[in-house]
Protein backbone atom coordinates (compact mmCIF):
# COMPACT_ATOMS: atom_id res chain seq x y z
CA UNK A 1 0.00 0.00 0.00
CA UNK A 2 0.93 3.63 -0.22
CA UNK A 3 1.52 5.97 2.67
CA UNK A 4 2.20 9.66 2.14
CA UNK A 5 2.78 9.17 -1.58
CA UNK A 6 5.47 6.52 -1.04
CA UNK A 7 5.49 2.79 -0.64
CA UNK A 8 4.67 1.45 2.81
CA UNK A 9 7.64 -0.22 4.46
CA UNK A 10 7.41 -2.82 7.20
CA UNK A 11 9.51 -2.10 10.26
CA UNK A 12 10.12 -4.03 13.44
CA UNK A 13 10.64 -2.40 16.82
CA UNK A 14 12.35 -4.16 19.70
CA UNK A 15 10.63 -2.64 22.73
CA UNK A 16 10.85 -3.62 26.36
CA UNK A 17 7.62 -3.68 28.40
CA UNK A 18 8.08 -0.12 29.67
CA UNK A 19 8.73 1.28 26.18
CA UNK A 20 5.76 -0.61 24.75
CA UNK A 21 3.54 0.69 27.56
CA UNK A 22 4.55 4.30 26.93
CA UNK A 23 4.05 3.93 23.19
CA UNK A 24 0.63 2.37 23.83
CA UNK A 25 -0.36 5.31 26.08
CA UNK A 26 0.74 7.86 23.47
CA UNK A 27 -1.15 6.07 20.70
CA UNK A 28 -4.28 5.72 22.84
CA UNK A 29 -4.14 9.43 23.65
CA UNK A 30 -3.76 10.31 19.97
CA UNK A 31 -6.64 8.01 19.09
CA UNK A 32 -8.84 9.66 21.70
CA UNK A 33 -8.00 13.12 20.36
CA UNK A 34 -8.81 11.92 16.84
CA UNK A 35 -12.23 10.76 18.02
CA UNK A 36 -12.95 14.24 19.35
CA UNK A 37 -11.66 15.88 16.17
CA UNK A 38 -13.69 13.53 13.96
CA UNK A 39 -16.86 14.35 15.90
CA UNK A 40 -16.29 18.09 15.67
CA UNK A 41 -15.15 18.67 12.09
CA UNK A 42 -17.50 19.83 9.36
CA UNK A 43 -15.28 18.81 6.44
CA UNK A 44 -16.10 15.34 5.11
CA UNK A 45 -12.70 15.04 3.41
CA UNK A 46 -10.85 15.93 6.60
CA UNK A 47 -13.09 13.65 8.67
CA UNK A 48 -12.37 10.77 6.27
CA UNK A 49 -8.62 11.42 6.55
CA UNK A 50 -8.87 11.40 10.34
CA UNK A 51 -10.86 8.16 10.28
CA UNK A 52 -8.15 6.50 8.17
CA UNK A 53 -5.56 7.68 10.68
CA UNK A 54 -7.68 6.32 13.54
CA UNK A 55 -7.85 2.90 11.83
CA UNK A 56 -4.07 2.92 11.44
CA UNK A 57 -3.59 3.76 15.12
CA UNK A 58 -5.97 0.95 16.08
CA UNK A 59 -4.00 -1.48 13.91
CA UNK A 60 -0.71 -0.49 15.55
CA UNK A 61 -2.27 -0.75 19.02
CA UNK A 62 -3.50 -4.21 18.12
CA UNK A 63 0.02 -5.22 17.19
CA UNK A 64 1.33 -3.89 20.51
CA UNK A 65 -1.11 -6.08 22.39
CA UNK A 66 -2.84 -5.38 25.68
CA UNK A 67 -1.42 -3.68 28.73
Amino acid sequence: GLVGGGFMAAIALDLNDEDAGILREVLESAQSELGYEIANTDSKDYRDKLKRRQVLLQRVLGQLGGG
Side-chain angles (χ1 to χ4, degrees), residues 4-50:
F7 286 97
M8 185 170 34
I11 62 167
L13 297 175
D14 185 16
L15 302 173
N16 63 33
D17 289 344
E18 183 180 14
D19 293 344
I22 290 170
L23 180 56
R24 191 178 303 108
E25 287 177 18
V26 170
L27 293 173
E28 287 171 348
S29 176
Q31 190 176 38
S32 176
E33 291 174 16
L34 276 175
Y36 176 81
E37 187 109 14
I38 288 167
N40 289 292
T41 188
D42 294 329
S43 167
K44 181 182 178 344
D45 289 340
Y46 187 55
R47 185 170 40 253
D48 290 345
K49 177 182 177 179
L50 294 175

